[in-house]
Amino acid sequence: PKFIQEKPIADSQVDEFQKFEFNTSDNTDGDTLKVWVNNSLVDIKKVKNPMGFYHVIGKIPEPIMEGKVWIKVKAESNDGCNDMRAWNIYIK
């Protein structure tokens, strides 16, 4: 699996952080998809597109107002591969 089109984008600066979204490649097994924000597992909403990829939306309970946010995504593919992607978001 691949994780692309993240919002906010990697290494961007935002006023506060609470919501994020990204897409997966079409070979992603949605049942294995997990997301952590600052090492805490978060609930996500997965919407499967007719073309096979997932649009993933997540929201943490309280906004982060300062510092840095670390987002980590991990999943397996339908053909047995796995991948992990991590990126940072900076608070202005």
Side-chain angles (χ1 to χ4, degrees), residues 2-7 21-25 28 47 53-56:
K2 298 292 179 208
F3 313 108
I4 56 173
Q5 299 172 329
E6 70 271 357
K7 292 179 188 172
E21 59 187 90
F22 60 91
N23 292 324
T24 71
S25 56
T28 302
V47 179
F53 68 84
Y54 285 93
H55 181 72
V56 179

Side-chain angles (χ1 to χ4, degrees), residues 3-50:
F3 313 108
I4 56 173
Q5 299 172 329
E6 70 271 357
K7 292 179 188 172
I9 62 172
D11 298 320
S12 62
Q13 291 188 2
V14 297
D15 292 329
E16 67 178 43
F17 177 87
Q18 189 169 18
K19 297 184 339 185
F20 61 91
E21 59 187 90
F22 60 91
N23 292 324
T24 71
S25 56
D26 60 358
N27 66 338
T28 302
D29 177 351
D31 293 336
T32 66
L33 193 57
K34 293 187 176 20
V35 180
W36 294 262
V37 172
N38 290 349
N39 287 323
S40 294
L41 190 63
V42 296
D43 290 330
I44 54 174
K45 178 181 176 184
K46 304 173 283 192
V47 179
K48 190 166 186 177
N49 181 285

Side-chain angles (χ1 to χ4, degrees), residues 14-17 62-67 69 91-92:
V14 297
D15 292 329
E16 67 178 43
F17 177 87
E62 297 290 326
I64 298 172
M65 306 296 285
E66 61 183 338
V69 177
I91 312 300
K92 293 180 188 176

